[in-house]
């Protein structure tokens, strides 16, 4: 299993100086940045695609093909989220309706690249900034059925799963994770969550790993080692990044301390 980390200038400097080992830098789908980072190291692209609002009907499929052809990108990812308005106005929101709508939304990607080359990422629920997302999008049975019907794989974000359990009143995070289509696991995302919630009751992610985060990540790797979950091609540490959003949470000391431990975990599988 390859180890990846969000590209940041801090991570690049630590890698250049030999303080961390990285198989892949994970980049957002920004052409200039992908080109820049790809000139110095193997890179793969994490797309900003979401399955809502008809977004997948107007894709630059040739650009997605370029990522597959010219970088280490193995699969095209999309975040699994629908809005209530994506469903027919007269439709009652049911798991079956959400599955059918998601299948239609994913069809442009599946027709061009094949479902086996697409992964759907579980989102945190509620999102905190979008109130019109039906709870069914976070239902493991719905996600599993979408994966079954489309042939798509799973991009499992552990922090998103934790936030979903906390936001939907599920007490057992491990049970929630096991109920997802882990037999189709292609990529694993790990990162820390703030210990305390904000004013909206949400514990935000993309921070340094806490002991609770380490414990759940180590448990997840145990499931992979035991064969209970499919071994993903990549495990990505989603700490750090570029731009204003990540400038204040790309601490070199955090990366230097936590990336080597995660690298060893990835290589233990």
């Amino acid at each position: 299993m390859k180890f990846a980390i969000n590209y940041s200038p801090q991570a690049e400097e630590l890698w250049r100086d030999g303080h961390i080992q990285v198989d892949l830098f994970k980049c957002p789908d920004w052409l200039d940045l992908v080109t820049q980072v790809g000139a110095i190291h193997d890179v793969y692209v994490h797309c900003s695609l979401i399955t809502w609002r008809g977004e997948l009907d107007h894709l630059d499929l040739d650009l997605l093909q370029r990522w597959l052809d010219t970088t280490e990108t193995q699969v095209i990812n999309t975040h699994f989220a629908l809005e209530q308005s994506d469903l027919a106005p007269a439709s009652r929101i049911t798991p079956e309706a959400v599955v059918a709508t998601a299948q239609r939304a994913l069809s442009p990607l599946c027709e061009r690249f094949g479902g086996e080359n697409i992964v759907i990422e579980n989102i945190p629920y509620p999102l905190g900034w979008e109130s019109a997302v039906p709870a069914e999008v976070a239902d493991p049975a719905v996600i599993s059925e979408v994966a079954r019907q489309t042939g798509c794989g799973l991009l499992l974000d552990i922090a998103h799963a934790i936030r979903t359990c906390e936001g939907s009143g599920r007490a057992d995070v491990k049970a929630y994770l096991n109920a997802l289509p882990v037999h189709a696991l292609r990529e694993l995302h790990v990162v820390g969550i703030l210990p305390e919630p904000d004013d909206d009751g949400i514990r935000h992610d993309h921070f340094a790993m806490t002991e609770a985060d380490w414990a759940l990540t180590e448990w997840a790797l145990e499931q992979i080692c035991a064969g209970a979950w499919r071994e993903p091609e990549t495990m990505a540490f989603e700490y750090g990044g570029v731009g204003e959003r990540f400038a204040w949470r790309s601490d070199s000391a955090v990366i230097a301390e936590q990336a080597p431990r995660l690298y060893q975990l990835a290589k233990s599988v």
Side-chain angles (χ1 to χ4, degrees), residues 69-207:
D69 292 342
T70 64
T71 73
E72 295 301 310
T73 306
Q74 300 298 307
V75 290
I76 300 298
N77 69 284
T78 179
H79 302 79
F80 184 65
L82 296 170
E83 284 192 306
Q84 293 178 7
S85 58
D86 290 319
L87 292 101
S91 294
R92 185 169 60 90
I93 295 177
T94 64
E96 294 77 15
V98 171
V99 169
T101 302
Q103 186 178 29
R104 287 194 298 271
L106 289 164
S107 60
L109 287 175
C110 294
E111 290 171 7
R112 173 67 180 265
F113 303 107
E116 69 277 8
N117 295 311
I118 309 300
V119 291
I120 53 178
E121 177 177 357
N122 60 300
I123 62 161
Y125 179 85
L127 291 175
W129 47 267
E130 182 61 68
S131 61
V133 175
E136 284 79 3
V137 300
D139 185 340
V142 169
I143 298 172
S144 296
E145 185 61 16
V146 171
R148 187 189 70 79
Q149 291 193 20
T150 62
C152 294
L154 173 68
L155 192 168
L156 174 55
D157 189 307
I158 294 178
H160 288 179
I162 295 170
R163 287 181 54 187
T164 293
C165 288
E166 293 178 350
S168 59
R170 293 175 170 90
D172 192 336
V173 178
K174 293 178 180 178
Y176 180 83
L177 290 168
N178 277 326
L180 291 167
V182 289
H183 63 281
L185 183 58
R186 300 292 303 277
E187 186 173 338
L188 184 68
H189 286 181
V190 298
V191 76
I193 302 181
L194 288 178
E196 298 298 326
D198 65 9
D199 292 341
D200 295 320
I202 297 172
R203 291 202 301 137
H204 290 281
D205 52 346
H206 293 280
F207 290 91

Side-chain angles (χ1 to χ4, degrees), residues 174-254:
K174 293 178 180 178
Y176 180 83
L177 290 168
N178 277 326
L180 291 167
V182 289
H183 63 281
L185 183 58
R186 300 292 303 277
E187 186 173 338
L188 184 68
H189 286 181
V190 298
V191 76
I193 302 181
L194 288 178
E196 298 298 326
D198 65 9
D199 292 341
D200 295 320
I202 297 172
R203 291 202 301 137
H204 290 281
D205 52 346
H206 293 280
F207 290 91
M209 301 273 285
T210 68
E211 285 308 309
D213 298 318
W214 283 113
L216 193 58
T217 297
E218 289 168 352
W219 174 83
L221 271 292
E222 290 171 3
Q223 306 316 299
I224 296 169
C225 288
W229 297 7
R230 184 185 188 277
E231 180 182 341
E233 287 88 343
T234 306
M235 181 176 83
F237 182 30
E238 288 202 296
Y239 179 81
V242 293
E244 183 178 350
R245 180 184 174 195
F246 284 102
W248 55 279
R249 44 180 171 170
S250 298
D251 189 331
S252 292
V254 170

